[in-house]
């Protein structure tokens, strides 16, 4: 960790606390070096001795005291500066000596680096005020003839003050600001890392939600069909081999299709291929024939009205419409009474309409109010009155994830979704899905009307196996 942060070798040793945490080993070694340097300076006469003054050896006492204060410069910078000021005054009365001035500079530096912001600002202001006072005093003395040498002596005096007091203060302030900026940069990097982690968690949560919706849509439909058919088989009072065989066939087909869809999805999630073909596992509204056939086999009567069925759709809108239809049919198998469903697939130009009258419109605020085409999907089934329908095998097994998943799918595309009772007798699910202009495929246009009206495509018509089996036309113009 020290190498990563660019710390100097041995820095941990210098930062080792001593004297019960009141000082650090590096400060003690630095104080010892300053005492040795001060002793050398005293030995060569780097001090001022007044005639008739105290013995110069007293300056060694002030030197020792000032060096002792340096030991505590990091833990108590304010107290050290106050005490060092008194020592400097005492040394000035005796000499003064150069070594004590140097140690006082260390106290100024420590106050600016490790002291509180108020202390550092106070030291800087005091040093600046002292510099102005010294400069004014030198100029005044030179002007009155009390100071010989003229401007050169003034410059030397100001230079000595800057060297002894100004330089440590400015250096300490610069180091403090550098450390503050470094701390702010570290905090900023930490916050950026936290935001990235939150974004990652949000992305993971969204992906989990999407996978949960897909798994629910794949599994719930097929298992609902299996549950309904197996319940029908168990409720048979008399043996009917032909009906039993047909029910088992539906159960087998639903189970195999569910396993196939689940394996395809798991293969994509595992990334078994470098470039997984999402098209192969993405359901499309054009594949609704199989969905409708499974629902009919499960006992639902379905009327379908589908305009412009050959119109190409954007992939996301196509998949969302398929999942809404799939979940709606699954819910109808659970709760519809009578077991009859009406499915209407239509297109609207010019944006969202006035709604469907259910009073349950749900969509994103500020959604598109005009422009662009819409895919309108409506699924309606009977709604039994209270006590009019016997509890079904799937009653009470729903967790509400189906409606939530449908609403999320539609709203993610900027559409509107509603689900609820109409007049207390019909349960209606309606999805208005925008077809983004930039996602439309070439050739997506209206078919030429026949007889002044749009053609209606009917799944399971006469040319299909289901139609050949004898479908009958319902009120909605579809095939039941």
């Amino acid at each position: 960790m020290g190498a990563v942060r660019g710390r100097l070798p041995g820095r941990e040793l210098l930062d080792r606390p001593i004297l019960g945490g009141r000082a650090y080993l590096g400060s003690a070694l630095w104080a010892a070096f300053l005492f040795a340097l001060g002793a050398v300076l005293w030995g060569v006469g780097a001090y001022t001795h007044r005639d008739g003054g105290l013995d110069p050896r007293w300056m060694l006492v002030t030197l020792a005291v000032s060096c002792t204060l340096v030991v505590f410069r990091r833990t108590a910078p304010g107290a050290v500066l106050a005490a060092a000021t008194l020592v400097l005054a005492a040394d000035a009365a005796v000499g003064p000596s150069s070594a004590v001035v140097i140690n006082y500079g260390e106290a100024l530096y420590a106050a600016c680096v490790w002291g509180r912001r108020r202390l550092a600002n106070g030291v800087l202001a005091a040093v600046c005020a002292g510099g102005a006072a010294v400069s004014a005093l030198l100029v005044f003395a030179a002007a009155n003839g009390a100071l010989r040498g003229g401007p050169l002596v003034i410059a030397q005096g100001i230079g000595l003050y800057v060297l002894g007091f100004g330089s440590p203060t400015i250096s300490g302030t610069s180091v403090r600001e550098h450390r503050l900026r470094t701390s702010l940069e570290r905090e900023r990097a930490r916050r950026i890392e936290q935001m990235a982690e939150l974004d990652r968690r949000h992305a993971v949560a969204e992906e989990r939600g999407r996978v949960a919706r897909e798994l629910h849509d794949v599994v719930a439909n097929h298992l609902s069909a299996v549950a309904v058919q197996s319940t029908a088989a168990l409720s048979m009072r008399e043996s009917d081999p032909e009906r039993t065989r047909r029910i088992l066939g539906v159960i087998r087909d639903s189970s195999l299709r569910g396993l196939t869809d689940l394996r395809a999805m798991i293969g994509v999630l595992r990334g078994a291929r470098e470039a997984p073909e999402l098209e192969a596992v993405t359901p499309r509204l054009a594949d609704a024939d199989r969905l409708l056939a499974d629902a009919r086999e499960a006992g639902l009567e379905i009327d379908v009205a589908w305009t412009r069925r050959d119109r190409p759709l954007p992939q996301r809108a196509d998949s969302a419409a398929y999942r809404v239809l799939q979940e709606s049919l699954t819910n109808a198998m659970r709760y519809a009474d009578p077991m009859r469903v009406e499915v209407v697939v239509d297109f609207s130009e010019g944006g969202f309409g006035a709604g469907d009258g259910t009073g349950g419109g749900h969509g994103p605020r500020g959604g598109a109010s005009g422009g662009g085409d819409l895919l309108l999907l409506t699924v309606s089934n009977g709604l039994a009155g209270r006590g009019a329908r016997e509890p079904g095998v799937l009653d009470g097994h729903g967790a509400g994830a189906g409606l939530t998943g449908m609403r999320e799918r539609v709203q993610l595309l900027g559409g509107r979704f509603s689900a609820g009772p109409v007049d207390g007798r019909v349960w209606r699910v309606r999805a208005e899905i925008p077809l983004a202009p930039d996602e439309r495929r070439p050739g997506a246009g209206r078919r030429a009307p026949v007889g002044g009206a749009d053609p209606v495509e009917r799944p399971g018509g006469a040319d299909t196996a289901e139609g050949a089996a004898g479908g009958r036309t319902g009120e909605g113009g579809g095939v039941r």
Side-chain angles (χ1 to χ4, degrees):
M1 181 62 71
V4 173
R5 293 186 178 181
R7 296 171 65 92
L8 296 176
R11 182 64 182 271
E12 292 80 4
L13 179 63
L14 297 178
D15 288 338
R16 179 179 297 177
I18 59 175
L19 301 178
R22 298 183 182 88
Y24 292 91
L25 180 59
S27 298
L29 295 177
W30 183 242
F33 171 77
L34 290 177
F35 182 81
L37 177 63
V40 172
L41 292 176
W42 182 85
V44 297
Y47 58 87
T48 301
H49 181 256
R50 298 186 183 92
D51 294 335
L54 296 177
D55 191 332
R57 285 177 292 187
W58 282 104
M59 298 181 188
L60 294 176
V61 176
T62 57
L63 172 64
V65 174
S66 63
C67 290
T68 303
L69 293 176
V70 171
V71 176
F72 305 96
R73 60 175 186 161
R74 292 178 59 180
T75 55
V80 167
L81 179 61
T85 303
L86 298 178
V87 172
L88 179 64
D91 185 77
V94 177
S97 63
S98 302
V100 174
V101 175
I102 293 175
N103 292 345
Y104 188 75
E106 282 296 320
L108 293 174
Y109 175 86
C112 293
V113 174
W114 292 292
R116 296 182 178 180
R117 168 66 69 176
R118 182 179 299 178
L119 175 62
N121 293 337
V123 170
L124 180 61
V127 170
C128 291
V134 169
S135 301
L137 182 62
L138 291 175
V139 171
F140 179 78
N144 292 333
L147 189 65
R148 299 179 181 180
L152 179 60
V153 176
I154 296 176
Q156 289 177 345
I158 295 176
L160 289 175
Y161 180 86
V162 171
L163 182 63
F165 302 98
S167 180
T169 303
I170 298 300
S171 299
T173 303
S174 300
V175 171
R176 183 188 187 93
E177 294 301 323
H178 173 73
R179 291 182 177 181
L180 179 60
R181 285 195 298 269
T182 303
S183 177
L184 291 177
E185 288 296 328
R186 288 178 180 173
E187 179 66 19
R188 180 173 174 270
R190 186 182 65 83
R191 290 183 179 276
I192 291 176
E193 184 178 355
Q194 289 179 347
M195 292 176 62
E197 178 65 17
L198 290 176
D199 290 341
R200 186 192 68 82
R201 292 182 181 180
H202 182 68
V204 170
E206 285 187 347
E207 186 64 16
R208 285 178 177 174
R210 187 184 70 83
V211 172
R213 288 194 300 268
E214 294 292 338
L215 289 176
H216 174 272
D217 293 338
V218 168
V219 175
N221 179 263
H222 297 294
L223 290 185
S224 295
V226 170
V228 170
Q229 293 298 321
S230 59
T231 302
L234 292 174
S235 63
M236 293 174 55
R237 299 176 181 271
E238 298 180 359
S239 176
D240 188 345
E242 184 62 27
R243 184 184 176 189
T244 301
R245 184 177 182 84
R246 182 172 62 84
I247 291 175
L248 291 176
V250 173
I251 292 176
R252 177 182 180 277
D253 292 342
S254 297
S255 302
L256 290 178
R257 289 170 183 170
L259 286 174
T260 300
D261 293 343
L262 195 58
R263 286 170 181 166
M265 182 179 298
I266 291 176
V268 172
L269 293 177
R270 285 180 175 175
R273 299 180 293 271
E274 293 183 0
E277 299 176 1
L278 297 178
E279 299 279 346
V281 297
T282 301
R284 297 190 176 279
L285 199 58
D287 303 329
D289 282 343
R290 191 189 73 179
L291 196 63
L292 297 171
D294 290 342
R296 290 189 176 101
E297 289 292 338
L300 283 178
E301 297 180 4
I302 305 176
D303 291 344
V304 181
W306 195 330
T307 61
R308 290 178 286 169
R309 185 173 183 179
D310 62 342
R311 174 174 179 171
L313 300 175
Q315 178 179 344
R316 296 178 63 192
D318 204 355
S319 175
Y322 179 91
R323 292 305 191 190
V324 170
L325 177 60
Q326 182 184 45
E327 183 61 28
S328 299
L329 294 177
T330 300
N331 290 338
M333 285 190 289
R334 294 179 176 183
Y335 309 113
D337 187 13
M339 298 287 286
R340 182 174 180 273
V341 179
E342 294 181 359
V343 178
V344 178
V345 182
D346 199 359
F347 296 91
S348 173
E349 297 180 356
F352 293 115
D356 63 338
T358 64
H362 298 278
R365 292 183 178 180
S369 59
D373 296 347
L374 295 177
L375 169 63
L376 307 178
L377 174 62
T378 306
V379 182
S380 306
N381 59 266
L383 187 63
R386 230 175 247 188
R389 174 177 175 265
E390 301 242 349
V393 64
L394 297 178
D395 289 358
H397 290 277
L403 291 177
T404 301
M406 289 190 288
R407 180 176 293 108
E408 289 177 350
R409 288 181 184 277
V410 175
Q411 291 183 356
L412 284 175
L413 298 177
R416 292 180 178 177
F417 175 82
S418 62
V422 180
D423 300 330
R425 293 172 296 180
V426 176
W427 179 273
R428 179 175 298 170
V429 175
R430 180 179 175 86
E432 301 179 12
I433 304 175
L435 304 179
D438 56 345
E439 289 186 341
R440 286 203 212 100
R441 301 176 185 174
R446 290 178 64 91
R447 293 177 56 189
V450 179
D454 290 332
V456 178
E457 299 288 343
R458 299 180 176 87
D463 56 341
T464 64
E466 187 179 339
R472 60 188 179 88
T473 304
E475 296 176 1
V479 174
R480 187 176 300 169

